Amino acid sequence: MDAPAATARRELLTGVLLAGAGAIAFSCKAIIIKLAYRHGVDAVTTIMYRMLFSLPLFLALSWWSGRNKPAPTAPQWRTLFGLGFCGYYLASFLDFAGLQYISANLERLILYLNPTIVLLAGKLLFKTPVSRRQWLALAVSYIGALVVFAHDLNTGPGIAFGALLVLGSAISYAIYLVYSGQLVRQLGAMRVTGLGTTIACFLCIAQFFILKPPSAMIVAPEVIWLSALNAVLCTFVPVLITMMALERIGAGITAQIGMIGPMSTIILSVLVLGEPFTAWIAAGTVLVVAGVWVLARSRVVRPDS
């Protein structure tokens, strides 16, 4: 077998496996958060512990990605703070808060609309052209999300409010994506992710101590190990391996493989959380994934929270 061809196949297989593992790991986040909420904690406490355990990992990533490179300039630091606030602090907090009211399935589908929000933001902010096919994909995706939302609307109080919070999370992260491109080209994706998330970690920890007394840190042991698992398995590891997948197979294939995320969330929510699986959820999921698949085919990059 030709050596370059064999190497290319290995790189493709490795990239596909990394992208799939990253998508599944990201999708576990909502499951772990919902499990933590069963032990009487709120979003402020849960996100504080997640970021507390994440902080050393992203500090290490920031150091590793920035070694032997010049320090960011003052304007770059200002941009990093804005990106860290919008893309990792605000988006994460709104997501955690929304999960107090809605199912893991609906949360994942709303967040999965992120590429469509990025497309709309580009159209509104930068007059980026949108093709007829892309408009159709947007319509299909939002119809799918509305199908699941309508199904869940009567399942408990606060569904509309929770969905609005998670939608705010998706919009916040989309704004981060729209404005991060130039800085990523200057500093590199790994460094921007490491520094931006480090800033968000400090913000989430500070938020806790501003809003709560130190005694509120005393929580059930299950919350501690679930938060540690969330920090490593659903935050740091998927960020790292998804970046590695992007280097090997590119954004388009990574985006398409990432479509297993909602499917894995559905399976885990049924098996772990005992959430119902109905024809309405199946139909809505198919529509959302189909719409995002069309956008991925149009080379719209699919990100996660």
Side-chain angles (χ1 to χ4, degrees):
M1 183 182 292
D2 183 59
T7 301
R9 288 193 182 91
R10 281 197 300 272
E11 287 289 291
L12 176 62
L13 177 60
T14 303
V16 168
L17 292 175
L18 287 170
I24 293 171
F26 271 129
S27 70
C28 291
K29 176 195 65 177
I31 307 300
I32 292 176
I33 294 169
K34 297 289 275 189
L35 287 173
Y37 284 162
R38 293 179 177 181
H39 298 280
V41 292
D42 60 7
V44 173
T45 304
T46 308
I47 197 170
M48 182 276 293
Y49 270 113
R50 178 208 192 192
M51 293 309 207
L52 184 65
F53 289 119
S54 296
L55 180 57
L57 301 174
F58 284 106
L59 280 172
L61 179 62
S62 301
W63 168 81
W64 181 84
S65 59
R67 67 196 190 286
N68 301 323
K69 296 177 182 177
T73 64
Q76 287 174 336
W77 274 117
R78 287 194 292 270
T79 304
L80 279 167
F81 184 86
L83 294 176
F85 176 87
C86 186
Y88 296 108
Y89 161 71
L90 185 60
S92 294
F93 177 69
L94 292 175
D95 181 34
F96 275 54
L99 274 167
Q100 294 179 116
Y101 302 96
I102 65 175
S103 68
N105 285 327
L106 180 56
E107 181 260 5
R108 177 52 38 186
L109 289 183
I110 294 173
L111 290 183
Y112 208 71
L113 295 172
N114 209 286
T116 70
I117 298 171
V118 172
L119 188 68
L120 290 172
K123 174 68 174 176
L124 294 172
L125 297 174
F126 305 111
K127 310 301 180 185
T128 305
V130 178
S131 68
R132 185 178 302 177
R133 182 181 183 185
Q134 289 173 325
W135 282 120
L136 177 62
L138 262 67
V140 170
S141 294
Y142 283 93
I143 289 170
L146 286 172
V147 165
V148 179
F149 173 73
H151 169 270
D152 285 7
L153 196 55
N154 296 321
T155 61
I159 300 298
F161 181 61
L164 189 63
L165 288 172
V166 176
L167 181 61
S169 170
I171 292 172
S172 182
Y173 194 74
I175 293 171
Y176 158 80
L177 289 171
V178 169
Y179 285 102
S180 64
Q182 183 177 358
L183 194 63
V184 167
R185 287 189 290 271
Q186 293 171 356
L187 300 179
M190 286 284 194
R191 198 176 184 191
V192 170
T193 299
L195 291 171
T197 310
T198 297
I199 290 168
C201 288
F202 282 113
L203 290 173
C204 290
I205 294 168
Q207 173 185 256
F208 175 85
F209 288 105
I210 290 171
L211 298 178
K212 293 179 176 290
S215 60
M217 291 187 71
I218 302 173
V219 295
E222 292 84 354
V223 175
I224 301 297
W225 69 260
L226 284 169
S227 297
L229 188 64
N230 193 358
V232 178
L233 178 65
C234 307
T235 306
F236 181 75
V237 169
V239 164
L240 198 60
I241 62 178
T242 301
M243 289 291 184
M244 294 167 65
L246 283 167
E247 291 177 350
R248 288 167 170 78
I249 59 177
I253 299 176
T254 302
Q256 293 175 47
I257 295 170
M259 289 171 196
I260 66 174
M263 308 304 176
S264 58
T265 300
I266 289 174
I267 294 170
L268 289 169
S269 68
V270 172
L271 295 178
V272 179
L273 300 177
E275 291 185 356
F277 178 70
T278 66
W280 287 102
I281 293 174
T285 302
V286 168
L287 288 171
V288 170
V289 171
V292 174
W293 182 81
V294 172
L295 290 182
R297 296 280 292 178
S298 302
R299 297 182 132 357
V300 176
V301 179
R302 178 250 184 203
D304 219 311
S305 61

